Amino acid sequence: MDPGDAVNPQTGEANPYLPEVAANPIPFYERLRDHLPVAMFEGFGRGTWIISRYEDVRWALKHPEIFSSDFVAVDIGQDRPLIPLQIDPPEHAKYRRVIDPTIGPHEVAPLEGELRVVVNDVIDSFIARGSVDAHAEFTVPLPCIVFLSMCGLPLEDLDKLLVWKDNIIRPNTGDPEQDAKVRRATGAALYAYFEDAIDQRRGGSGTDLLTRFLTSEVDGRSMSQEEMLDICYLFVLGGLDTVTSTLDCSLAHLAQDPIQRQLLADDQSIVPAAVEEMLRYHTPVMQILRAVAQPVELHGHKFEVGDTVMLMLGSADTDPTEFGEDASEFDATREVNRHLAFGGGPHRCLGSHLARLELRVALEEWHRRIPDYTVAEGAHLEYSPGIREIVSLPLVFEPVTVAVAE
Amino acid sequence: MMRIHFEPDACVGHGRCYALAPQVFDADDLGHCVVLLSEPPAELADAARLAVASCPEDALTIDE
Ligand code: HEM
Ligand code: SF4
């Protein structure tokens, strides 16, 4: 199937949740923008409107009083609205003022050295083989190890955390009711795990993320246990698969684009720009949701209060009106790049500074050590819709013997 | 002489400005922009222009 066929201008419908679209979304995005700037997606058991042009998406992001985040749009096993994702301004800013500094640019910069060691350890575990499932062995463990280490949690908990994360994001039992049950049970386990970890840190003087939540204040009071738990929950849900999927898309792309790969391997100073271009071109979080809080009109369509709206970040990020005629091409040296892969407006990704650091160091070290690689012959790359992870990413390269330290 | 104008209420901390022109912009502890040199010297002008053009929230403008 051609991904563009997932848009039907006759009926006004579009379906971003097809595997063909996730694997190759650009033709889908193009048809949406050109033919259905307001489209209808009949999924999730109720209709959702899709907005796809750059200026429209940017406008919606900047107007939380119209396009609100204050709803539990998706049941992901959470007990309450997630802080700060599902809280609207002005309340929202209070939390951001507290959480942002714990993970701001100056805060994450010192992690670079440690991160480089982690990345190299992971590469060491497979480089001698000359082949790897880069998803399972590289892009999945990396952000989880970083998260555990930032929270001062033991590395042995890695497998447990990975299972919980997957059970919440994609329980895949095949039965919606059963899915919801798995999510609830896992959510409860995750809350209990962090509750325990936070209790252990009370009165302590550590510098890890959890201890810093304990000593932070919102509106002149310390954060409640619930608030801290909500933030932890969101870090697990928002900070792991997103980085994994960006790295999946990046490695798969470069494995198939030897010219851009060579640019990157030859001159690592372009890695930061290449990271931004990966985020733009692949927009790993394809879309985000909002609820209409005030009646509003766009392209002749009248939105009503309570409507659900999907802001298609991926199509905004490949819109030629913003990115020029070469918007649907990948250019690691693109200069002006106002992509919305981290969202925009008040909810703009809180973890973006950490994410950028992880992506840069991972791509630098990978290409320093494995400059030349391809997708294993016969491999079919399957992308998951919504957050564009690649289910399995078998890569092959020249094996390298790792010197074992004495 | 170029002059940079910054609209703090529009800034949400994309961090494009201080990544692209670190001698002209810095981050505060929230990751929002701090203008270090509102009248950058000629040798930083190109970097400053690129940084301003890269802000997705239009929080930065330049008077030339
Ligand atoms: C490349 C990696 C990442 C991508 C593409 C990404 C993408 C996004 C997007 C699109 C949003 C906006 C959601 C909305 O407006 O509804 C967002 C918000 C958020 N992200 Fe990320 N993210 C990434 C990494 C991370 C990391 C590493 C963390 C945490 C450590 C994180 C934590 C959050 C949080 C807490 C929010 C909610 C902010 C708010 O509502 O104020 N993200 N992210
Ligand atoms: S790029 Fe714009 S929004 Fe981002 S920190 Fe700079 S001024 Fe603020």
Side-chain angles (χ1 to χ4, degrees), chain A residues 58 62 106 338 345 348 356, chain B residues 12-14 26-27 56-58:
Chain A
R58 202 171 76 115
K62 278 182 182 232
H106 293 310
R338 305 196 308 160
R348 193 202 57 84
R356 284 187 168 123
Chain B
V12 298
H14 282 270
D26 194 7
E57 309 284 333
D58 297 326

Side-chain angles (χ1 to χ4, degrees), chain A residues 137-197:
Chain A
E137 298 177 69
F138 187 68
T139 73
V140 169
L142 255 189
C144 284
I145 297 172
V146 172
F147 177 73
L148 287 171
S149 128
M150 282 185 74
C151 291
L153 295 165
L155 206 54
E156 295 82 73
D157 291 348
L158 180 62
D159 291 336
K160 191 158 70 180
L161 190 66
L162 289 174
V163 172
W164 283 340
K165 167 186 80 75
D166 282 337
N167 278 347
I168 291 175
I169 297 175
R170 49 185 84 80
N172 289 347
T173 61
D175 165 21
E177 244 169 68
Q178 196 57 32
D179 277 3
K181 261 194 209 148
V182 173
R183 287 204 165 103
R184 291 267 155 221
T186 312
L190 197 60
Y191 278 116
Y193 173 77
F194 280 113
E195 202 155 3
D196 219 40

